[in-house]
Amino acid sequence: MGGIGKTTLARVVYDQTSSHFEGKGFIADVREVAGKLGFVSLQKQLLFQVLSDEGFHFFNVHEGSAIISHRLSHKRVLVVIDDVVNEQHLKCLVGRRNWFCLGSRIIGTTRDEHLLRSYRVDDVYKPTTLNDDDALRLFNLKAFDTLEVLGSFLCGRDATQWRSAIERLEKDSNKEILDKLRISFDGLEEKEKNIFLDIACFFNGEEKDFVIKVLDGCEFFPDIGIDVLVKKSQLTVHEDNKLWMHNLLQEMGRKIVREKCIEEPGKRCRLWEEQDVYDATEGIEGMIIDNKRWESIHTRVLMYDIHIVTRDCFGVLFEANFCSFTYGYIRESKKMLNLNVDALWKMKKLRLLKVLCLLNCDDLKYLSSELRRLDWTGYPLRFLPPSFQLDNLVALLLPYGRIEQLWKANTLLYKLKVLNLRGCQNLIKTPDFTTSPNLEILILEGCIKIVDVHPSIGVLLRLQLLNLRGCKSLRNLPTKIGGCNSLKTLDLSSCHKVENLPENLQQVESLEDLELSGTAIAKPPYFIFRFKNLKALSFNGCKGSSSKFGTNLPSLFQVFQRSMESLPLILHSLSGLTSLTSLKLKDCNLCQGDILSDIFCLSSLITLDLSGNNFVSTPLSFFLLFKLQYLGLSNCKELKHFPGFISTEGVNIDGYSSLELVPNKVCNSVGGPRIRGLHCYRLAESSDVYTLLGRHIKQHVISRKGFDAVKPGSEIPKWFSHQAVDSSIKIPLPNNIQNDSQWMGVSFACVFVDDDASRHEELTCEFDIHHRISVQATCDGSVSWVKKCGVRIVYQKDLEDINEDSDGDESMANGPLINEDSDEEELVDDQ
């Protein structure tokens, strides 16, 4: 990607190390110079810089190469070749390793990582874009002084002009910036350009695998094309496997599309803005139809004299000038969009259609047979258009639509790979899958009228995901489900009528994620516990069946029936689940002894949720779960003994009313735990609760990792030396604190009231630490009212005294508790 600092980094390295070499040369703008003056000019420039006292007369590249290899092979030289775009640049300037003396260093900058890899360079350094903090530092340095493109434009202007400029840039970024970015685009092949433009206009932020499926259907060869864009830094693949294109690159791509027909937007090949789709013509290939409206509800300008110095778990330090603008937006309700359906008749080349609004199209009879992606949220018709040819369709997405029935039995859909009918509550039955044998993703979540899945599902040899979550009328899976031997994810959660799984499901050895929460399965079949590739297994809410009495029995027996507890979920041996990383057994009525002792065999387990069960203690074998990061024990009201030997990064003990002490082992967990203890009243009564705070701080300040805890209470301990009856607090910051070796960090606490303890909402706590000004701490929760907050700057001596202070401070140990029947107050401690 252009403009992220490759040349600047190379120049810094060159300036700082060139004195250690016998000769040096920095060949700038290789792409531009080669295009204007040719390769010979570059060769002469290199020789002149390294051997400045000599003149060279040659007229072709071969002669130049021979002279370079001869004259520089006896010198230790440092050569930087900036902005290389093809292999010929490298061949004519640095050739092979034997052109240079041992100890020489050759550095090249390029936007194409693959170019360096193919030339077999020794090392490749890929600079990353700046994080938010470093970006602010750069902006601070440049915006008020020397930023070449944007900073110089803003320099000297007031806040009103800055806001105006930012609003303009959101719609039309600076031309000089986009022109620099376009250099890489112009060097792409035609297929790669199409992939780039499609992602810029329609796919930015979407899952990589899905995008590849659709673009492969467009015959753009996306597997290699996307790799090229990534290697050229035009595109990034995030950890969640989603494609991300920088907003400036996206704007540049959209500008390229606009420029093809400036005066008549409807004649462009791709449309994504509402005002343009009304005039769409037959040349359209892709279109988003959306009539969303945005309204700014507040705008505020914040100006601080701050500068980022460092970040750790305790906050961020700042010490120079900075301006920021914060905008708030609210989205209006969508209105009906009236689009002439005859216009769709003309769009013979349309291959990508995405509808995100209410569209008046009762007379819709035609859609392009070239469509690869039909994505229509809230599709308003009962059936697909009768003349719609689905031959080329790759992805059919009709979530929350009114459709009742899909294609007829003889409709061929050999290219269809993704079918998403989430929330289609009028869908009566699933289609015959015989004519769509290449389907890979099938989502029927929330289709509440579906009773059975068509038995032809067994022909889907490539099916990887089957989502039937919330299909409340579904009775069972077809017996031929075993034919789906590529299936990785099966979700049957909240399918309340499903009592059994077909026996031949055991043939699906590829299964990795099995979700059975909220089903009527009381005794899971034995073969589930033999899936060696299974990584996630969930039985949340699955209980054994209670005794069933007839409805005509005397009322006394009916009362007795209601009072009986359900039997626990019956588990088989867990030893076969060697790949399992997540096991969820929440609300399964598990009692003492129901948790199998061979749980220690789950050596890969990361998440274990046993919340809402009735056991008194956990198996000793828990201590062998070395990779465990999260343990859920909320609402285990019978639990008497906390598994203190477990090291984990997160523990949820909500409703653990009998708990008086959190064991040291949990407090000293190396991962920086998050301990949540809502409704743990005995814990709040214990004098040890704030000794826990001391142990936390001592342990985690050393590791420089943060932690937070939530527990009952109504007062901020006096140890937090600055307090306010408010949701935020601002205190002075000592001068030169970042150079104080005794300074360890910041501790923050707040008291909040939750008006509905049954809701699970996030409470967020944030620090803004402004050097020369203040520390500002803010708490915010969507359903919680923050009553008080406190903050303390922590020094080394505080760690030595904190336990003594805790013992002597009644407010730390004995803050008044709120009655359980009233709105609940909780104390949040964040380090």
Side-chain angles (χ1 to χ4, degrees):
M1 177 179 173
I4 63 172
K6 298 184 295 294
T7 300
T8 301
L9 286 173
R11 174 63 73 178
V12 169
V13 172
Y14 179 82
D15 291 341
Q16 292 183 355
T17 63
S18 58
S19 60
H20 300 290
F21 295 88
E22 298 171 335
K24 60 181 181 179
F26 192 105
I27 314 303
D29 300 320
V30 167
R31 173 190 53 79
E32 185 176 353
V33 174
K36 293 180 179 179
L37 303 176
F39 292 144
V40 171
S41 174
L42 288 171
Q43 290 177 323
K44 289 181 177 180
Q45 183 181 344
L46 173 60
L47 289 167
F48 177 77
Q49 288 191 26
V50 178
L51 307 168
S52 56
D53 57 339
E54 302 181 34
F56 298 93
H57 304 284
F58 55 90
F59 303 97
N60 62 66
V61 172
H62 295 294
E63 289 184 49
S65 298
I67 294 173
I68 292 173
S69 63
H70 176 69
R71 296 302 305 274
L72 302 187
S73 60
H74 304 293
K75 281 182 173 288
R76 288 181 64 255
V77 299
L78 172 64
V79 176
V80 176
I81 309 171
D82 177 52
D83 197 14
V84 178
V85 294
N86 60 56
E87 193 172 297
Q88 195 61 33
H89 292 156
L90 296 172
K91 287 182 176 179
C92 76
L93 289 172
V94 296
R96 297 186 295 272
R97 284 178 171 79
N98 60 9
W99 283 22
F100 303 95
C101 179
L102 188 66
S104 295
R105 293 292 183 269
I106 312 299
I107 298 174
T109 71
T110 181
R111 304 181 186 200
D112 187 355
E113 179 186 350
H114 180 70
L115 172 62
L116 299 180
R117 302 284 186 191
S118 63
Y119 207 70
R120 300 186 182 279
V121 299
D122 294 316
D123 293 293
V124 174
Y125 173 72
K126 188 174 182 180
T128 59
T129 54
L130 298 179
N131 59 38
D132 291 345
D133 294 344
D134 290 339
L136 281 174
R137 292 186 64 186
L138 177 63
F139 192 70
N140 170 63
L141 292 171
K142 299 293 188 179
F144 298 92
D145 189 13
T146 62
L147 186 61
E148 293 180 350
V149 177
L150 181 59
S152 59
F153 175 72
L154 296 176
C155 187
R157 290 183 162 88
D158 61 25
T160 302
Q161 293 167 331
W162 275 45
R163 285 199 301 273
S164 177
I166 290 173
E167 291 170 356
R168 190 179 78 177
L169 286 169
E170 287 177 349
K171 294 184 177 180
D172 186 14
S173 297
N174 185 280
K175 181 179 183 299
E176 187 176 351
I177 295 174
L178 298 183
D179 287 346
K180 286 186 177 182
L181 295 174
R182 182 159 183 170
I183 293 170
S184 295
F185 175 84
D186 290 337
L188 298 174
E189 299 292 337
E190 195 62 30
K191 299 287 188 187
E192 294 156 6
K193 287 182 178 179
N194 277 321
I195 292 173
F196 181 93
L197 295 178
D198 273 354
I199 293 174
C201 295
F202 307 118
F203 292 108
N204 195 13
E206 297 203 32
E207 189 179 34
K208 177 186 175 183
D209 294 341
F210 172 75
V211 177
I212 286 179
K213 288 178 176 66
V214 176
L215 296 183
D216 187 55
C218 299
E219 300 181 352
F220 288 167
F221 307 100
D223 286 291
I224 183 62
I226 287 178
D227 183 69
V228 168
L229 294 178
V230 170
K231 294 292 174 47
K232 290 181 178 290
S233 301
Q234 303 293 290
L235 199 61
T236 302
V237 182
H238 278 189
E239 291 181 359
D240 58 1
N241 202 38
K242 291 185 177 180
L243 298 178
W244 180 79
M245 180 179 287
H246 193 280
N247 58 348
L248 286 175
L249 289 170
Q250 182 177 30
E251 175 58 26
M252 183 265 292
R254 292 185 169 189
K255 183 181 179 184
I256 291 171
V257 174
R258 290 191 194 100
E259 288 176 345
K260 292 183 179 180
C261 194
I262 297 175
E263 299 299 327
E264 297 182 77
K267 292 185 177 181
R268 299 169 187 159
C269 60
R270 296 170 178 86
L271 299 177
W272 58 89
E273 294 180 342
E274 178 198 349
Q275 64 269 23
D276 298 335
V277 301
Y278 296 101
D279 301 317
T281 61
E282 62 276 1
I284 296 296
E285 295 182 24
M287 181 167 61
I288 294 178
I289 303 177
D290 194 358
N291 65 339
K292 62 177 178 288
R293 298 284 192 273
W294 295 89
E295 176 188 0
S296 175
I297 58 173
H298 71 271
T299 303
R300 62 189 176 96
V301 181
L302 303 176
M303 294 187 177
Y304 294 112
D305 182 27
I306 59 179
H307 179 134
I308 297 172
V309 175
T310 184
R311 175 188 289 273
D312 60 27
C313 65
F314 304 107
V316 187
L317 292 181
F318 301 83
E319 63 170 2
N321 291 332
F322 154 69
C323 264
S324 85
F325 298 89
T326 302
Y327 294 88
Y329 293 95
I330 183 171
R331 186 170 183 167
E332 294 181 349
S333 59
K334 294 181 179 180
K335 300 177 181 179
M336 182 72 72
L337 188 150
N338 294 305
L339 182 67
N340 187 350
V341 294
D342 291 337
L344 293 172
W345 181 273
K346 300 177 183 178
M347 301 177 192
K348 307 294 185 182
K349 297 181 180 180
L350 189 65
R351 51 186 179 82
L352 305 172
L353 175 60
K354 188 172 185 178
V355 182
L356 298 171
C357 64
L358 301 174
L359 188 60
N360 186 4
C361 60
D362 292 340
D363 298 327
L364 181 65
K365 297 179 180 178
Y366 172 84
L367 286 170
S368 170
S369 60
E370 294 297 313
L371 274 174
R372 268 68 170 186
R373 173 181 185 172
L374 174 56
D375 187 349
W376 195 321
T377 300
Y379 180 76
L381 305 181
R382 296 169 58 198
F383 307 99
L384 293 171
S387 60
F388 182 24
Q389 300 297 316
L390 307 176
D391 304 28
N392 291 306
L393 198 62
V394 175
L396 178 58
L397 317 174
L398 304 175
Y400 309 104
R402 298 180 182 176
I403 195 159
E404 296 179 4
Q405 187 173 347
L406 289 169
W407 55 83
K408 297 179 181 179
N410 59 352
T411 304
L412 300 179
L413 300 100
Y414 287 125
K415 294 185 179 181
L416 188 66
K417 294 184 178 180
V418 181
L419 178 59
N420 183 352
L421 300 172
R422 175 183 278 112
C424 290
Q425 297 188 2
N426 295 330
L427 189 68
I428 300 172
K429 61 180 181 178
T430 64
D432 185 336
F433 298 105
T434 307
T435 57
S436 56
N438 295 312
L439 196 64
E440 298 178 12
I441 307 293
L442 177 57
I443 300 174
L444 298 169
E445 178 180 342
C447 295
I448 58 177
K449 292 186 178 180
I450 292 179
V451 175
D452 299 293
V453 176
H454 199 283
S456 62
I457 194 171
V459 306
L460 302 180
L461 303 182
R462 299 184 180 182
L463 188 67
Q464 297 179 17
L465 184 150
L466 175 57
N467 183 351
L468 295 164
R469 176 187 291 262
C471 292
K472 298 179 180 179
S473 301
L474 185 70
R475 296 176 299 190
N476 51 55
L477 287 176
T479 57
K480 295 184 179 180
I481 187 70
C484 303
N485 50 27
S486 297
L487 191 64
K488 292 184 178 180
T489 301
L490 174 59
D491 191 343
L492 291 169
S493 58
S494 299
C495 293
H496 305 306
K497 295 184 178 181
V498 174
E499 297 183 357
N500 300 292
L501 296 177
E503 192 75 16
N504 68 355
L505 181 62
Q506 62 185 303
Q507 299 173 15
V508 186
E509 297 180 355
S510 58
L511 201 61
E512 295 181 358
D513 189 345
L514 182 58
E515 175 62 75
L516 300 174
S517 298
T519 62
I521 297 175
K523 185 178 180 180
Y526 67 93
F527 59 79
I528 286 181
F529 302 92
R530 297 181 180 178
F531 285 132
K532 294 184 178 180
N533 294 313
L534 198 66
K535 296 179 180 178
L537 178 60
S538 178
F539 288 110
N540 290 346
C542 294
K543 300 181 177 74
S545 301
S546 59
S547 300
K548 297 179 181 179
F549 296 91
T551 56
N552 58 345
L553 289 177
S555 58
L556 176 61
F557 287 95
Q558 293 183 25
V559 171
F560 176 68
Q561 175 190 7
R562 287 194 298 268
S563 67
M564 290 182 62
E565 290 188 356
S566 297
L567 297 173
L569 181 74
I570 300 176
L571 300 174
H572 293 271
S573 173
L574 301 172
S575 59
L577 301 174
T578 55
S579 300
L580 202 68
T581 60
S582 175
L583 177 60
K584 298 180 180 180
L585 299 170
K586 183 177 179 180
D587 296 324
C588 291
N589 204 34
L590 298 176
C591 299
Q592 192 66 23
D594 291 332
I595 303 176
L596 300 179
S597 59
D598 65 352
I599 195 171
F600 73 90
C601 295
L602 306 180
S603 57
S604 300
L605 200 65
I606 295 174
T607 298
L608 176 60
D609 193 349
L610 298 171
S611 301
N613 287 296
N614 302 318
F615 44 81
V616 176
S617 63
T618 56
L620 291 175
S621 55
F622 271 25
F623 82 97
L624 293 175
L625 301 176
F626 299 115
K627 295 184 179 180
L628 195 66
Q629 295 181 10
Y630 173 80
L631 176 61
L633 294 171
S634 64
N635 297 310
C636 292
K637 299 184 183 300
E638 302 298 322
L639 190 61
K640 304 297 182 185
H641 305 289
F642 191 93
F645 42 77
I646 297 176
S647 291
T648 178
E649 295 185 5
V651 178
N652 187 340
I653 52 175
D654 288 356
Y656 193 168
S657 56
S658 61
L659 180 67
E660 297 183 2
L661 179 66
V662 178
N664 290 341
K665 189 70 174 180
V666 176
C667 301
N668 297 336
S669 172
V670 295
R674 178 169 187 163
I675 299 178
R676 174 170 160 158
L678 295 175
H679 318 298
C680 295
Y681 298 103
R682 295 290 297 278
L683 177 63
E685 293 172 355
S686 170
S687 60
D688 288 316
V689 65
Y690 289 107
T691 303
L692 167 64
L693 170 63
R695 293 201 302 265
H696 270 315
I697 294 178
K698 281 189 174 183
Q699 177 66 26
H700 296 285
V701 115
I702 295 172
S703 65
R704 313 300 288 181
K705 293 181 180 180
F707 74 91
D708 57 83
V710 182
K711 41 193 172 283
S714 60
E715 295 294 334
I716 303 287
K718 292 180 180 179
W719 182 84
F720 290 91
S721 51
H722 301 273
Q723 300 190 22
V725 183
D726 199 351
S727 61
S728 66
I729 185 171
K730 185 175 182 179
I731 67 171
L733 188 66
N735 292 328
N736 205 30
I737 191 173
Q738 77 275 14
N739 296 322
D740 189 340
S741 61
Q742 296 298 306
W743 177 65
M744 305 303 293
V746 173
S747 184
F748 174 53
C750 76
V751 174
F752 69 94
V753 177
D754 191 347
D755 59 2
D756 185 351
S758 66
R759 287 186 284 190
H760 298 282
E761 300 287 347
E762 287 296 323
L763 180 72
T764 59
C765 303
E766 296 182 354
F767 297 106
D768 288 314
I769 305 180
H770 310 309
H771 185 46
R772 301 198 199 104
I773 299 184
S774 65
V775 175
Q776 182 164 353
T778 304
C779 250
D780 183 31
S782 56
V783 299
S784 302
W785 173 42
V786 178
K787 294 181 62 178
K788 308 171 185 177
C789 61
V791 65
R792 180 182 181 118
I793 301 172
V794 182
Y795 293 92
Q796 183 66 43
K797 62 181 178 64
D798 296 317
L799 303 185
E800 301 168 359
D801 301 337
I802 187 169
N803 283 342
E804 298 175 7
D805 292 344
S806 300
D807 294 337
D809 186 353
E810 293 183 1
S811 70
M812 294 188 75
N814 301 312
L817 295 177
I818 301 302
N819 187 286
E820 293 186 43
D821 295 330
S822 65
D823 290 345
E824 183 161 338
E825 296 194 10
E826 302 287 347
L827 176 64
V828 174
D829 174 35
D830 196 359
Q831 313 299 323

